[in-house]
Amino acid sequence: MEAAILILALLFVAFVALGVYVSVKVIGAAKRGVERTVTQARRTVEETTLRAKSYGQGGVVGELAQLRLSLRTSMRATQDALHAGAAEDASLSESIGLFQRLSAHGHELDDELKRLEREPDRATVASLLPGLRERTERITRSAESLRWAARDRARKFADDDLDALSTQIDVEAGALRHWSGAESAEPQAPAASWPEAGGTGGAGDGVDGGGDRGVAEQTWPEAGAGAGPGQTVAEQPQAITAPDPRQQTSYPWQKTARPETTN
């Protein structure tokens, strides 16, 4: 009895622990989903604001917004291209490591541009614009180099695979055409026919092998095949043969035949 109670207690504790674990996982996944959604919404709002500032405002504020928009767009495109290619090409892992180091510089520059947007001293910000523009161009150029290299690599692999596939298809098509030609050039054997009943089919029998094909060839002789033209079996003359004395049945009341004597 105590053993059964202990087993039930252990099962209860196990179910409670499992429920707590599943709850923590579900809450964590929901929290990450909410954070991802909030981050995406914040990024969308921020990029929309940057586009509005870059097109709607001029001067230092518009220049800073344009630099930030260019930097963020280039870095995000490179990140998407590298991660998409790494799923199929493991050699891009080193490129992803280099991009992460480049991303650190990109985030640092983006934060600096964001702080300068709120800087009231526009003259000082204007004096810093050439250096900021140069840094932005260097980072975006490096990001574009990685992005286009990954795309060129993927396109080269795709072209090589397409070339190999085209070669295999050409070989297969040639084999199919060769098979079709050989099949059409092969002579067809004449259909075998059964000889007529009573005929040997030899060359010396006087029977024309190329006779009338319209008449169905017979494999078994018909009844009355030995009758002459225009006659049936009943109309044919029967041969008269003498009865065999040895095969005749003798009866007791019959007299024995005496031999005839000649005078």
Side-chain angles (χ1 to χ4, degrees), residues 149-160:
R151 290 177 177 175
D152 291 342
R153 181 180 180 85
R155 185 169 58 252
K156 183 65 171 62
F157 286 162
D159 292 341
D160 293 342

Side-chain angles (χ1 to χ4, degrees), residues 74-86 89 91-105 137-155:
S74 179
M75 297 297 288
R76 186 173 299 109
T78 303
Q79 177 180 345
D80 294 341
L82 291 178
H83 284 286
D89 189 1
S91 61
L92 291 178
S93 58
E94 185 176 355
S95 300
I96 293 178
L98 293 175
F99 176 74
Q100 290 176 353
R101 295 173 56 186
L102 183 64
S103 296
H105 293 279
E137 290 177 356
R138 290 179 60 185
I139 294 175
T140 55
R141 190 183 305 115
S142 299
E144 289 174 357
S145 178
L146 284 175
R147 182 171 70 251
W148 285 109
R151 290 177 177 175
D152 291 342
R153 181 180 180 85
R155 185 169 58 252

Side-chain angles (χ1 to χ4, degrees), residues 35-109:
E35 291 177 353
R36 191 182 303 111
T37 304
V38 172
T39 303
Q40 184 70 24
R42 184 184 298 112
R43 184 184 299 117
T44 303
V45 172
E46 192 172 2
E47 289 182 357
T48 303
T49 304
L50 290 176
R51 287 190 178 90
K53 288 182 179 180
S54 61
Y55 293 111
Q57 296 182 5
V60 178
V61 178
E63 184 72 18
L64 292 174
Q66 188 174 0
L67 290 177
R68 287 190 65 194
L69 185 61
S70 175
L71 176 65
R72 294 165 67 93
T73 303
S74 179
M75 297 297 288
R76 186 173 299 109
T78 303
Q79 177 180 345
D80 294 341
L82 291 178
H83 284 286
E88 300 178 356
D89 189 1
S91 61
L92 291 178
S93 58
E94 185 176 355
S95 300
I96 293 178
L98 293 175
F99 176 74
Q100 290 176 353
R101 295 173 56 186
L102 183 64
S103 296
H105 293 279
H107 286 298
E108 181 181 356
L109 177 59

Side-chain angles (χ1 to χ4, degrees), residues 72 91 134 211 213 236 243:
R72 294 165 67 93
S91 61
E134 182 182 357
R213 297 296 181 181
Q236 291 294 322

Side-chain angles (χ1 to χ4, degrees), residues 1-259:
M1 186 65 180
E2 294 179 356
I5 295 175
L6 180 60
I7 292 175
L8 291 176
L10 291 176
L11 290 175
F12 177 76
V13 172
F15 280 119
V16 171
L18 181 61
V20 172
Y21 176 77
V22 172
S23 300
V24 170
K25 287 293 185 181
V26 171
I27 293 174
K31 184 178 179 181
R32 286 191 298 271
V34 171
E35 291 177 353
R36 191 182 303 111
T37 304
V38 172
T39 303
Q40 184 70 24
R42 184 184 298 112
R43 184 184 299 117
T44 303
V45 172
E46 192 172 2
E47 289 182 357
T48 303
T49 304
L50 290 176
R51 287 190 178 90
K53 288 182 179 180
S54 61
Y55 293 111
Q57 296 182 5
V60 178
V61 178
E63 184 72 18
L64 292 174
Q66 188 174 0
L67 290 177
R68 287 190 65 194
L69 185 61
S70 175
L71 176 65
R72 294 165 67 93
T73 303
S74 179
M75 297 297 288
R76 186 173 299 109
T78 303
Q79 177 180 345
D80 294 341
L82 291 178
H83 284 286
E88 300 178 356
D89 189 1
S91 61
L92 291 178
S93 58
E94 185 176 355
S95 300
I96 293 178
L98 293 175
F99 176 74
Q100 290 176 353
R101 295 173 56 186
L102 183 64
S103 296
H105 293 279
H107 286 298
E108 181 181 356
L109 177 59
D110 185 67
D111 293 338
E112 184 176 356
L113 292 173
K114 188 176 182 179
R115 287 193 302 268
L116 291 176
E117 287 180 351
R118 298 188 297 268
E119 179 63 37
D121 189 0
R122 302 302 182 186
T124 304
V125 176
S127 63
L128 297 176
L129 279 177
L132 295 173
R133 188 181 300 110
E134 182 182 357
R135 287 176 60 188
T136 303
E137 290 177 356
R138 290 179 60 185
I139 294 175
T140 55
R141 190 183 305 115
S142 299
E144 289 174 357
S145 178
L146 284 175
R147 182 171 70 251
W148 285 109
R151 290 177 177 175
D152 291 342
R153 181 180 180 85
R155 185 169 58 252
K156 183 65 171 62
F157 286 162
D159 292 341
D160 293 342
D161 185 52
L162 181 60
D163 292 339
L165 180 60
S166 299
T167 303
Q168 294 178 2
I169 290 176
D170 293 340
V171 172
E172 182 66 18
L176 291 175
R177 293 190 182 95
H178 177 71
W179 175 263
S180 299
E183 188 178 20
S184 60
E186 183 180 356
Q188 296 182 356
S193 59
W194 293 94
E196 294 184 0
T200 59
D205 294 338
V207 179
D208 187 4
D212 187 5
R213 297 296 181 181
V215 181
E217 297 179 351
Q218 297 179 0
T219 57
W220 297 98
E222 296 180 357
Q231 294 181 346
T232 62
V233 176
E235 296 176 353
Q236 291 294 322
Q238 301 294 330
I240 302 175
T241 56
D244 190 355
R246 291 172 299 178
Q247 295 180 357
Q248 291 182 354
T249 304
S250 59
Y251 300 96
W253 58 83
Q254 292 181 345
K255 297 180 178 181
T256 303
R258 295 179 180 181

